[in-house]
Each structure stands twice: as C-alpha cells, then as structure tokens.
Amino acid sequence: MTLTGLTGRGTELARLRAAIDKARTGRPVTLLVRGEPGIGKSAVLEALSVLAADTGFEVAVARTRAYPDSPFAAADHLLGRLLSAGAPATPSTDRPALLEHLRHLVDLVRTHAHRSPVVLCLDDVADADPWSLRWLLALAGSAYPTQVVIALSADDFGVGHEPPGGARLTALAEHIDLTGLPAAALSDFAAARCGVALDENSASACHELTGGNPSLVVALLSAHTGRAPTAGELRATVGSAVLPGTERWLGELSRPALALARAVAVLGTDAEIAQAADLARLTVSDTLSALDELSDRCLLANRTPPAFRHPLLAAMVIGRIPVGTRAALHLRAAEILRDGHFGATSVARQLVAAGPLGLSWTVRPLRTAARRLAQEGRADDAAQHLRGVLRDRLRPRVRSAVRRELARLDAFVDPDLTAHQLDAARQEAADPVIATDYAVALAGLLTECGRPADAVTVLDDTSVRLGTAAPEQCWRLRLHKAYICLDGPGRLVGTADPLDELIARSPQHAAARRELAGLRAADAVRTGKDRAAAVRFAGQALAENQDGPGRSWWHGCIALIRADELTEAWTHCSRIRPADGARPGHWDHVTAELLRATIHRVRGDLTRAADALAPMTELLSVAASTSRLPAALAVSVLAEARALMGDTSTALALLTGCGLDQELPLRQDTPAVLAARAVVRECTGELSRAVEDHLAVGRLLSGRRVRNPAVVPWRSRAAQLLAAAGEPAEAAHLAVAELEDARQWGTARAIGTAQHAVAMAATGPQRIGLLAAAVGTLARSPARLELAAARFDLGAALGAAGRLSEARTELTAALSTATSCGAQPLVHRIETVQQEVFPEGPDEPLHPTLRNLTPQELRILRLARNGHTNRAIAGKLFVTVRTVEFHLSGAYRKLGISGRRQLAEIIPATLTAQPGGR
C-alpha cells in the first residue's frame, strides 16, 4: 500500500505516526480529522490504516453513511471486520439491554487489544447512530491501558448540530484540522493524481480558484489531463465548463438554500444579504436559515456579506443553472443593483453576463463602466463591455459613439487594424454626422501615429464626399484639418483654411465650440502675442467637456502650461489619468501622464517628472520606436529629466532605444524631441551637437511660424552654449531676439529665461546687473530650476568680482533650490564654485591672513602652494603667464612673504584640496 493520497500532507503524516507510537504504550488515542468536503479526510484515515497495518495493528474501517441508523450499526460493522466471529447481535431497543450490550462491546475491544493493537476508523462520524458514538466515547475515555487508536472524520460541526455524545467525543479527541494544500504542493499533487503539469503561475491560479481543496483541484484539472495548462486556461475552465463533483456539494441542498446559492453566485462580490434574498425571492427569515445551511455545508464562508469559500464552488453553482434561467437571473440582478444604486460597474457586470437583451436602459451603465474599467487599467474588460453594447440594437449615432470608444481602446494595442476599421466605418456611413465623427477619429489616430498627411487626406476626402449638403460637418472637417496643419510639418501649414474663415462660422453644437476654442488657444500660443486670449480660449476648450479627451483638451492643457497657469492645467489633466497603480488603458492616459510630467518639469521638480513616466518606460520605448507621438514626447521629457538629474546613461539609453538619437523625420513631435535631445547632449558634454539640435528646433518652428519662446526656448539655450564657447555676438543676437518675443508673451518664466541668456552673452559688470534682473524675474515664476541656474551664474559672477558676501547669498540660495529640484549636476557645479570662491566653506570666514586677497589671487596661490608652475596655473585658469605673475606678486606683497617657499606656512593644506569634478 502507498501514501500517494497524502501528497503535501507531511505535518499530518507526522501526527499519525505519533498517535500510533502513543497507542503502543497502552494509552488509547482518539483523533478527529475535520475539514470541508473533499479536503482529504478519508485520505488521512486511509493513510492511518496503511501506517498502522505496516506496524502490526489490526485495522477496521467503516463509513457511517453506508449503514442504517439503528443502534450500534457502525459499531457492529467495525467489530465485524475486527473479530473473526463477527459482532454480537444487537438486542431489543430496551434501554437496560442496550447499556449491557454497550459494556459488552467495550470489553470485546479491550480484550482484543490486549492481544494485538487496534485501529478503528470511522468516516463521517456526524452520521453515526448515537449508541455507536457512546461506544466510541467509552473506549476513548477508558482508564484501562488499551492499545487502541480511534480515528474519526467529520465535516466542520455546525453549532448545535453535534449528534448525542458528539460534543464529548470532540472534546476528548486530538484534532487534525485540514486546510487546503499549499500552492507549492499543487504541482506534485496534480502530476500524481491528475497527470497534469503545473508551473508556478498555473499552480498559483489553481490554488486561488480551489483553495487547495484536493477534490476541487481534481475537478478543475479534469479537462486538462495530460497537458500543461496556463493560468489563463485554468481561469477560462471555470467560466466555460460543467465541472465534475458538483453533485457532492449541491445534491442535498434544500430548495431555499439552492436558490440562495444561485443568487450569491450570480451577484458575486455584490452579494449583500438583502440583494441576495431579493434575487432568490426568499423572505428574510428563509434567507437567514438558508445561509446557515450553506455555511454548515461549507459552501459559503461563515461571514457576511455572503461569499463562497472558493471561486470554483460559485462556478459549480453557475454551471448547473440552465442558460435561460441564468440570463434572467443576471438581468434581474442588474435591475436590483441599479435600483440599489450600486454603481454602473456592478450593474454592467451583470448585463455583460446576461448577454444582449435589447433593453435601452442597459447602454448607459455599460458605457460608464467601460470608462471606469479603462481608468483602472482593465482595457480588455472595458472593451468587453463595449462589445456587449454593440450586440444590442442601437440608434446609429449611439452605435457610432460606442464604436469610436472601442477604437480608442483597440488602438492602444493595434493601431493599424483600428485605423482600417475606422476607415471602413467612415466609408459605409450614410449619415453625415456619423461619417464626420469617424473621419475625425481616424484623422486623430493617424496624426497620433505620425501620419499627418494621411490624416489630412482622410478629412479632405470626407469633405468632398459630403459636399455642400452638410455645411456644418464640412466646417468641422476643415477645423480639424487646421488643427493638424498647425502642429504638422511646415509643408502642411499653408494648406489649411485661414483661421479667420473658420472663426466666421459660429457653431451651434457645444463640442464644436470647444474644438474651435482649442484651435484658437493653440493659435494664440503659436503667435505668442496674446497670453490672455490663449488662457481664455483654453478655458473655453476645457469647459464642461463630457466627451472625453481630444484635440481641444490637449491644446487647452498645453496652452495653460505655456501660459504658466499650472494649477488649472493640473486639474484638467488629472481628470483623465488612470487610477493609481493601474496601467494605461488607452493613449489618453499616457498623454495625461505626459502633461503631468511636463508640469513637474516646468516647476523644476525633476524627480516627480521622472516618477510620473518611469512606470511606463517599457510601453513608451516600444511605442516611441513605432512612431506613436505621445510615446515619443513622453520619452523625451523622461530623458531630459534623467539627464538634468545626472543620470545621463539612462537618458541616452532611452533615446537610443527608441531611435531618437538618429536623424529624425519631419513630424509633429520633432521639435520637442530635438529640444530634449539637445539638453541630454549638453549634460553629456556634447556641446556643439547640442547647439546644432537647438538651431534645428529653431528652423522647424520658424517653418511653422512659431516664435513664442514658451513653446521651446531654443534661442536662449543655444545662446548660453555659444557664449560659453566664445561666440558672444551670435549668442547675444539669439538671446535679444528671444527676449523681445518673451516680453510679447508676458510670462515671467519666458522673460527671465531670455534675460539669463542675454546676461551670459554680456561681459564685465554689465553681466552682473543683467543676471540680477533675470533672477528677480524668475523668482516670480514657477521655474525653480531656471531660477537656481540663474542664481548660480549670478553668484559666480559676484564672486569673480570680489563681492563675496553677495556671492555667498546667491550661491547658498542656488544650492538649496537645485537640491530641492533634484538637479545633481547643477548642485555639484555650485559646490565647486563655492569651494573656489570660499576655500574655507561658504559659511565660514576666511583665515585673517588671507582675507584681503581677491578670489583670483586666492585661486592662483592655492595652485602655486600645490606645486604647479606659473605656466601650468595659466593653463588651468585660461589666463596668460604674465597675469599669473602679476597676481602672485600682489598676493606676496599683501601677505608679507617673499616667495613660494613660505606659502606652506600661510595656506593650510586643507585649503588647497582641489574641488570635486562635475
């Protein structure tokens, strides 16, 4: 005999062996094996009989359900197997005779056990007749040395359900309470019992569905014998198969209990007692009694709200409901949940399960639930809900709206197929409104995929097809064409209708008015001459937008960000983002996170900007490499933030992985990608290539007639690099031009950034005054990182001019701000300058002997003290040898020394340590 039935039950086997060893000492042992049906109680008794027989015990096994409920029925069967002569006949039902017979049967076992140790196994003790239980109790509580093991099994006794003598027997017994097999043991169990191979994931799914109950595991795996099912296949089995073993759990339920079990299975997580009673059509009293019955039968967990112990049990109940009855139950559940205000998601779950029923009221909850599921990152479930809507009879315009919602979800996975489906729907549509809606959706998808010319072709073709019969819809098509051309490559800019002609029509529909306002906001940003108008139009584009995100939403948010109305922009883009921790369900979620990261970047919070996009890195990298515009823009923002934080290797890897480090095609996102790439190259020391990228941005934006520096401050960025490279004239030309445009736009961020560039192109005392003006302007803006950079340059200029107290103030403020921004390279540069200007530290006074030296004299003395020659010092400081000699002579005179040999006495070694590099 083998013990394969106890796979994964090592602890239980150890307790069985201990019980056998204890019984050999003459002390009777009683074991009560308890647990839910199918948990393996009979297997434990069988294992005990195998172990006992192998060690010389005589074993008798009985199952109470096989015998009539007459006095000593179970005892007679056990003794008949134990005694060769069989059990003595049971007397009449006279109580004194029965008591005498009880003593006789006890003595028979004791006598037999003196000759050979005995194991008595009684399965399903809860069904045993009362006199057999009294007999077992007498044996278990015997004070005489007896080599007896009494092993009983029972389902968990419900309160008040113990048979006579059961409670006392339970109190005497050692309990072995069985729970499900652990997930780690299911692979071995499945291989041994079912011939099924489970990997770690599928074993985990199996445990989730069955709780490790062996009989439920066997039922679940019965359809997969000889295979290695995946976790998904196992979950699909639950919803699609009639599982074996169902009768064992449901066969003896009362009518109310079965009705309640069906109601709880149909309601699922929404199974409150009141709703379950309503669906089962039971009174409250009958419902509570049925709950007790289902709990006692181990179908439901002993808690409220009611729920099945294991998901597979719910599937067993659902599988036994005829299909028509099941659909009716799901529909009634949806109505109950709707009337109870349980929310659209709960109602929609029931409607999807019911299938298409042609009821008009079902459309709204299904669409609402789909949006919420998408917000939670459950795009597949959301799409399933929308497909459920499409199976019903719908008005043409409602069907069009649902199909476009579904396209937004499908385009996240397969944009080419979605574009093909939208184009087919567009060409089939006879209603001008529907045809226009499909055309606009298709053009948006093509634009998002970097195909603006194809998008324009779709809009033009639809407009020609509609002709003069639908002027309102043709106007919408022209409007969206203007959107695309506004953002698109330069060659498309002149192909759109003039904005004045589009404004001349006053659209009646609210959505069209929002679209027009979004276009006007975008145009105001492009021209950069009326910030107030851009903000006003952005507010109109975003007002009461119930249609979900679109071009007007994007341009409205972008206009607010470029106008530095960051709080309002944050409010609007946060309405679209997915739930915390959820994966994006469609590209609007990616766009929302992109906008949030952009706002963080404007505020100088590099860490939060990176954190907003980092969880989507894999998704973004794949999509950006296939020309998805939101992904490429998001990768650019993430790479720029990483570079400014000092993580240049990650920034370069992001650009390289998406092919953004190569020559870029002319697309809508190209200027933004080039601008971010220039910042990354500047951070990695490729200054000339960074300048090239900035100038390329300028050429592209000029081709689109964009001068507003709030879009990309390419001139000020290029000017700073050119000034550092010794080309102040070109730097000044660019910076002054940007400052003029920035003043027209009017934000402190744009003006201060341009002022900073103008200052860096200047020299001498003039630079300090210009830098101070830039710092004052940027201090009134949200751009903390730009403020830190300007303060750093001002502090360095003040230090070089010998205005140490003022320099200390600016550098300390710059360091604090740069640190809070997470800009580690800037932090290191500030610390380096602090060490050069204030060798004893920015907050400590210089040694009295050195106080009268200028910063340049102090730098040269320190290098001389370290042993550098005059020529070497000149090379390090980019000055002439004569300048070095001049400063050394002046310093020696101030210190009262004659030459280098005395420097060691004047300048401590701690003041000569070279500052850390960048």
Side-chain angles (χ1 to χ4, degrees):
M1 301 179 74
T2 64
L3 299 177
T4 55
L6 282 204
T7 301
R9 299 286 191 192
T11 301
E12 288 78 3
L13 279 171
R15 293 190 63 183
L16 296 181
R17 292 189 176 98
I20 291 171
D21 293 340
K22 182 178 178 181
R24 284 190 176 282
T25 66
R27 290 177 291 175
V29 177
T30 303
L31 299 175
L32 178 60
V33 184
R34 296 176 61 172
E36 63 187 29
I39 201 68
K41 301 182 293 292
S42 299
V44 171
L45 296 188
E46 181 183 354
L48 175 62
S49 67
V50 171
L51 292 172
D54 289 346
T55 55
F57 279 68
E58 293 191 45
V59 179
V61 180
R63 183 176 177 84
T64 57
R65 294 187 182 182
Y67 315 115
D69 187 18
S70 56
F72 297 107
D76 289 346
H77 186 80
L78 284 170
L79 288 172
R81 296 204 169 185
L82 186 65
L83 306 174
S84 57
T90 302
S92 66
T93 56
D94 179 69
R95 183 174 178 80
L98 289 173
L99 289 172
E100 182 60 32
H101 189 66
L102 172 64
R103 288 191 288 271
H104 179 57
L105 295 184
V106 170
D107 289 339
L108 281 175
V109 175
R110 289 175 180 164
T111 302
H112 193 85
H114 278 301
R115 297 192 303 270
S116 174
V118 172
V119 169
L120 302 174
C121 296
L122 186 60
D123 212 352
D124 292 326
V125 67
D127 294 324
D129 63 275
W131 285 97
S132 292
L133 287 176
R134 289 188 173 94
W135 170 65
L136 291 171
L137 181 61
L139 290 173
S142 174
Y144 296 100
T146 309
Q147 299 184 84
V148 174
V149 177
I150 301 171
L152 314 170
S153 76
D155 293 341
D156 292 329
F157 288 132
V159 176
H161 289 274
E162 298 93 337
R168 294 177 60 194
L169 193 58
T170 299
L172 281 175
E174 298 178 20
H175 288 210
I176 299 179
D177 293 317
L178 296 182
T179 57
L181 297 172
L186 286 184
S187 295
D188 292 340
F189 179 86
R193 289 286 301 275
C194 309
V196 174
L198 298 180
D199 60 20
E200 183 177 350
N201 289 334
S202 55
S204 177
C206 183
H207 189 272
E208 172 193 328
L209 296 168
T210 65
N213 183 304
S215 70
L216 294 180
V217 172
V218 171
L220 177 65
L221 300 181
S222 61
H224 301 282
T225 302
R227 297 180 56 242
T230 64
E233 289 173 336
L234 291 178
R235 292 190 175 92
T237 301
V238 172
S240 64
V242 176
L243 302 168
T246 301
E247 200 64 29
R248 175 178 187 176
W249 292 84
L250 308 180
E252 298 179 10
L253 291 179
S254 66
R255 188 202 66 79
L258 182 59
L260 183 61
R262 286 180 168 185
V264 173
V266 166
L267 287 168
T269 56
D270 298 310
E272 300 286 350
I273 291 177
Q275 282 68 40
D278 192 356
L279 184 58
R281 301 184 186 279
L282 297 174
T283 65
V284 173
S285 177
D286 287 344
T287 299
L288 297 177
S289 297
L291 273 176
D292 286 344
E293 180 180 346
L294 293 171
S295 176
D296 193 49
R297 291 290 301 274
C298 300
L299 276 156
L300 297 186
N302 189 24
R303 63 175 178 81
T304 56
F308 284 89
R309 283 197 177 208
H310 311 300
L312 197 66
L313 294 174
M316 286 180 166
V317 173
I318 290 289
R320 282 194 51 176
I321 305 175
V323 62
T325 303
R326 186 162 66 243
L329 283 171
H330 280 299
L331 177 60
R332 177 164 169 73
E335 293 169 341
I336 290 170
L337 295 175
R338 177 199 62 190
D339 296 341
H341 304 288
F342 270 65
T345 302
S346 297
V347 175
R349 188 184 305 116
Q350 298 296 334
L351 294 175
V352 169
L357 299 170
L359 300 174
S360 60
W361 71 267
T362 65
V363 173
R364 183 173 181 178
L366 284 168
R367 293 179 69 182
T368 301
R371 295 185 187 117
R372 292 180 183 174
L373 289 167
Q375 290 289 103
E376 296 168 7
R378 298 165 57 186
D380 290 342
D381 291 338
Q384 181 186 11
H385 280 54
L386 293 177
R387 291 189 178 96
V389 176
L390 291 173
R391 289 199 298 267
D392 271 323
R393 293 191 301 273
L394 302 172
R395 296 193 306 274
R397 293 189 182 181
V398 174
R399 178 173 295 277
S400 166
V402 174
R403 288 183 71 177
R404 285 183 281 113
E405 285 185 52
L406 182 59
R408 285 174 58 222
L409 296 171
D410 290 343
F412 194 65
V413 178
D414 193 340
D416 291 337
L417 177 60
T418 304
H420 176 75
Q421 293 170 341
L422 285 173
D423 194 38
R426 173 184 72 92
Q427 296 188 46
E428 293 169 2
D431 185 324
V433 174
I434 294 176
T436 300
D437 287 340
Y438 279 130
V440 168
L442 176 57
L445 176 58
L446 293 172
T447 304
E448 187 180 88
C449 292
R451 298 165 57 187
D454 292 340
V456 167
T457 299
V458 166
L459 297 173
D460 286 343
D461 176 72
T462 308
S463 182
V464 169
R465 187 158 64 89
L466 296 181
T468 58
E472 184 72 22
Q473 303 313 314
C474 288
W475 178 86
R476 280 191 65 207
L477 294 168
R478 292 161 55 206
L479 177 69
H480 282 276
K481 178 179 177 180
Y483 265 121
I484 296 170
C485 294
L486 185 73
D487 287 337
R491 67 178 184 276
L492 291 178
V493 171
T495 65
D497 292 342
L499 183 59
D500 290 343
E501 293 183 12
L502 294 171
I503 296 173
R505 176 184 292 274
S506 179
Q508 299 301 312
H509 195 275
R513 290 197 298 271
R514 285 194 296 270
E515 291 167 355
L516 178 58
L519 179 61
R520 298 184 74 176
D523 185 65
V525 170
R526 178 181 65 84
T527 57
K529 294 181 179 179
D530 194 343
R531 175 184 170 277
V535 172
R536 184 173 68 256
F537 292 137
Q540 295 171 7
L542 295 165
E544 301 178 8
N545 190 345
Q546 304 297 324
D547 301 328
R551 287 195 182 93
S552 60
W553 170 77
W554 164 261
H555 282 291
C557 288
I558 282 292
L560 291 174
I561 292 172
R562 288 171 177 165
D564 286 353
E565 298 291 339
L566 302 184
T567 301
E568 187 175 353
W570 181 273
T571 300
H572 288 290
C573 68
S574 291
R575 292 173 183 164
I576 310 299
R577 66 187 300 260
D580 289 339
R583 286 181 57 83
H586 44 69
W587 281 108
D588 294 331
H589 292 158
V590 176
T591 303
E593 290 303 298
L594 165 61
L595 289 172
R596 288 163 62 86
T598 302
I599 293 171
H600 284 310
R601 169 64 186 89
V602 170
R603 288 173 172 160
D605 195 337
L606 301 176
T607 302
R608 288 187 178 179
D611 289 346
L613 298 173
M616 299 186 291
T617 299
E618 183 178 352
L619 165 69
L620 294 175
S621 297
V622 173
S625 62
T626 57
S627 302
R628 296 302 291 264
L629 262 65
L633 291 170
V635 166
S636 301
V637 173
L638 180 56
E640 180 177 326
R642 290 292 191 201
L644 291 171
M645 293 168 66
D647 188 3
T648 53
S649 59
T650 299
L652 287 170
L654 283 167
L655 296 178
T656 302
C658 303
L660 301 181
D661 60 330
Q662 308 296 322
E663 184 175 352
L664 300 176
L666 295 179
R667 303 188 322 190
Q668 302 96 302
D669 61 336
T670 303
V673 174
L674 281 171
R677 190 174 77 183
V679 173
V680 174
R681 286 176 167 171
E682 179 182 349
C683 292
T684 57
E686 299 180 87
L687 303 185
S688 61
R689 300 186 71 187
V691 171
E692 290 175 6
D693 280 345
H694 284 312
L695 297 179
V697 172
R699 288 191 293 273
L700 291 174
L701 292 181
S702 297
R704 300 180 188 181
R705 304 169 191 170
V706 177
R707 290 190 59 87
N708 189 346
V711 176
V712 179
W714 63 272
R715 285 169 290 186
S716 60
R717 292 178 179 178
Q720 294 221 33
L721 296 177
L722 290 169
E727 298 182 39
E730 179 63 21
H733 173 73
L734 290 171
V736 169
E738 180 167 306
L739 180 58
E740 181 181 345
D741 289 334
R743 284 177 171 148
Q744 283 196 345
W745 181 240
T747 61
R749 174 164 59 103
I751 295 171
T753 301
Q755 286 176 325
H756 186 189
V758 170
M760 296 309 292
T763 58
Q766 184 185 13
R767 173 181 287 187
I768 293 177
L770 292 171
L771 282 171
V775 167
T777 304
L778 288 169
R780 301 192 302 272
S781 81
R784 294 185 305 126
L785 183 57
E786 285 71 16
L787 173 61
R791 274 206 149 126
F792 161 62
D793 287 331
L794 176 57
L798 289 168
R803 296 162 61 176
L804 301 186
S805 177
E806 296 169 88
R808 180 180 291 113
T809 299
E810 295 300 334
L811 290 174
T812 300
L815 181 62
S816 175
T817 305
T819 301
S820 68
C821 291
Q824 287 307 308
L826 180 56
V827 168
H828 294 324
R829 290 170 59 202
I830 296 170
E831 290 174 340
T832 299
V833 170
Q834 283 181 327
Q835 291 176 19
E836 291 178 350
V837 176
F838 311 108
E840 296 185 6
D843 298 319
E844 299 177 14
L846 287 170
H847 189 279
T849 309
L850 306 173
R851 193 182 302 275
N852 295 327
L853 299 180
T854 68
Q856 186 75 327
E857 288 173 341
L858 190 57
R859 293 189 195 101
I860 292 173
L861 279 183
R862 186 177 61 189
L863 293 169
R865 200 261 188 219
N866 282 345
H868 294 286
T869 66
N870 288 358
R871 185 173 297 279
I873 295 171
K876 285 180 173 292
L877 299 182
F878 301 100
V879 296
T880 65
V881 175
R882 293 196 61 179
T883 299
V884 173
E885 293 171 348
F886 172 79
H887 284 296
L888 280 176
S889 299
Y892 293 160
R893 185 171 58 255
K894 292 177 183 179
L895 296 175
I897 61 176
S898 59
R900 289 173 180 258
R901 286 177 296 180
Q902 294 173 275
L903 286 177
E905 302 171 7
I906 300 297
I907 303 179
T910 56
L911 298 188
T912 65
Q914 291 297 319
R918 180 175 169 178

